[in-house]
Amino acid sequence: MSSAPSRPPSPPSAPPQGSGGSHDVEPSDGPAEPKGARRPMGRALLALIAAGAAMLMTSGPLWLTVAGMVAGLAALVFAISAVIHLRKAQRRGLILFSALIAVTVAGFALVSGGVRLAFWDTVSAYETCAAQSVTISGEAACREQMEDGLRGVILPGLN
């Protein structure tokens, strides 16, 4: 047993009650920022990451191309969301620039993935042929076969 005098426990300090509006402040080490001020920056970063993933995935096999298309759509949603919530942010220029880059990259990935899916049979036949070809003339024949297949798909009556 200890002979030290015991102190009564101090009452817990309750945080100040806020209205739940945008004027609540998050605890931080730096200057106080309004709650939700970092969200547009996070959304812009997510948009850039999703756009990069979409760009990488749309050149793979069928399932990866479809996943890349989904990532491209997600990048567009994140970028638009970041721009919509731009008024809360402190680094508006950086967020807007990031969102525009993400929209551009995601748009290109969606277009290239969509074209790849539209001509999937022809492109996959070319990839298989080129992988099995051991000579330059064999690869040229594969390329010619792919071009003929694409002409047949794009211009069905002129082949």
Side-chain angles (χ1 to χ4, degrees), residues 53-112:
M55 195 63 166
L56 290 174
M57 290 192 287
T58 53
S59 63
L62 178 65
W63 67 271
L64 201 57
T65 302
V66 173
M69 299 280 289
V70 171
L73 289 173
L76 289 177
V77 168
F78 286 133
I80 291 169
S81 176
V83 170
I84 288 173
H85 294 95
L86 196 61
R87 60 183 158 77
K88 294 180 185 178
Q90 294 193 5
R91 296 181 179 169
R92 291 182 182 102
L94 179 64
I95 294 169
L96 186 60
F97 180 73
S98 300
L100 289 175
I101 294 295
V103 166
T104 304
V105 171
F108 183 76
L110 285 171
V111 168
S112 65

Side-chain angles (χ1 to χ4, degrees), residues 13-77:
S13 61
Q17 296 293 330
S19 62
S22 63
H23 300 291
D24 291 345
V25 177
E26 293 179 348
S28 65
D29 294 336
E33 292 182 356
K35 187 175 184 178
R38 293 184 183 168
R39 289 187 182 150
M41 180 65 88
R43 289 176 181 150
L45 181 62
L46 283 174
L48 284 173
I49 291 170
M55 195 63 166
L56 290 174
M57 290 192 287
T58 53
S59 63
L62 178 65
W63 67 271
L64 201 57
T65 302
V66 173
M69 299 280 289
V70 171
L73 289 173
L76 289 177
V77 168

Side-chain angles (χ1 to χ4, degrees), residues 127-153:
E127 288 175 350
T128 303
C129 180
Q132 295 173 352
S133 177
V134 290
T135 63
I136 295 173
S137 62
E139 193 171 323
C142 293
R143 190 176 311 114
E144 187 175 323
Q145 185 181 21
M146 179 190 67
E147 290 171 0
D148 290 341
L150 289 174
R151 259 187 242 110
V153 171

